Amino acid sequence: MSVAPEVFVNYRTGDAEMAAALVQRELAHRFGPDHVFFASRSIAPGTDYTHGIEDALRRCRVLLAVIGPRWAERSAERAPGPAGQQRDWAHHEILRAREYDIPVLPVLVGRETPRLRATDLPEDLAFLTERQYMRLDHRNAAVDLERIGDEVLHCAPTLTSRDSGIRPPSRHGHPGPAGGACYHFDGDLRGAHLYFWSR
């Protein structure tokens, strides 16, 4: 990456990856792609991803923990165990951010994701329950994404917004079925299309 990534997008494989990709895409449009670290896109093929992640964590100004409905369950399943066990990178990244005194902002995905409870988490992640969280809900996607960007800017004031020309056309999006609105994000998601309907 040509510049230090001020924003680190943290997510758990098997839980809300598409929402994390959406967050990354929106922040990249607003602040520029080099300022947002998203492991699968920010680390070049063939390079040591462990070094890439650690370097980004040391240099970033804020970490967004994107948390879906299975996050706590999978976190408990993958709590640190015997030596040689596969590292839980989502867990590791959050702990590293705390070690470096980097703000950790939880982003709960959808209305079905409950608030985190200490009893559902490994002991070293229980501090997340004391952090004020934000929500990203498909019924309010444009507003929620704007707020996430604003909070990121509060933590990393050196960032500047840019006019990408690719942001959603308006807060209300395109007309959708049954009087709803459609926010359509396509392109760099391995051919995937994300549709967020609000009613």
Side-chain angles (χ1 to χ4, degrees):
M1 301 178 70
S2 58
V3 298
E6 284 94 336
V7 189
F8 192 109
V9 180
N10 164 277
Y11 65 96
R12 184 177 296 289
T13 302
D15 179 81
E17 297 106 316
M18 295 300 283
L22 176 61
V23 169
Q24 181 275 336
R25 182 179 174 86
E26 175 69 10
L27 295 179
H29 286 330
R30 180 166 175 176
F31 302 120
D34 286 349
H35 296 278
V36 183
F37 182 87
F38 193 73
S40 62
R41 298 184 193 170
S42 302
I43 302 175
T47 59
D48 187 333
Y49 69 88
T50 64
H51 291 168
I53 289 172
E54 294 288 354
D55 182 60
L57 286 166
R58 283 191 295 268
R59 302 167 73 192
C60 74
R61 302 289 297 277
V62 58
L63 181 143
L64 293 173
V66 181
I67 296 170
R70 298 194 62 205
W71 195 90
E73 170 190 338
R74 294 184 66 84
S75 181
E77 290 173 356
R78 302 182 67 181
Q85 184 179 29
Q86 183 178 5
R87 175 174 288 179
D88 179 352
W89 278 99
H91 189 145
H92 174 78
E93 290 161 6
I94 291 170
L95 293 184
R96 270 283 194 261
R98 191 184 192 197
E99 177 184 335
Y100 296 145
D101 200 26
I102 295 164
V104 176
L105 308 183
V107 178
L108 306 188
V109 178
R111 299 180 185 180
E112 70 279 10
T113 301
R115 292 182 61 175
L116 297 175
R117 299 185 305 175
T119 54
D120 296 332
L121 298 174
E123 184 176 351
D124 55 3
L125 289 181
F127 76 94
L128 287 175
T129 64
E130 300 168 354
R131 298 294 186 268
Q132 183 64 31
Y133 64 88
M134 297 176 285
R135 269 196 197 275
L136 173 58
D137 186 79
H138 70 278
R139 297 172 182 84
N140 203 38
V143 175
D144 291 346
L145 287 166
E146 183 177 358
R147 183 194 173 197
I148 290 169
D150 290 346
E151 292 298 330
V152 162
L153 191 58
H154 178 75
C155 294
T158 56
L159 284 171
T160 56
S161 297
R162 63 175 196 162
D163 183 10
S164 66
I166 317 176
R167 295 170 65 86
S170 73
R171 179 165 293 186
H172 302 292
H174 298 293
C182 172
Y183 299 94
H184 178 201
F185 301 83
D186 59 4
D188 185 25
L189 287 176
R190 298 182 181 272
H193 299 266
L194 298 180
Y195 295 87
F196 284 82
W197 297 98
S198 64
R199 298 180 184 274

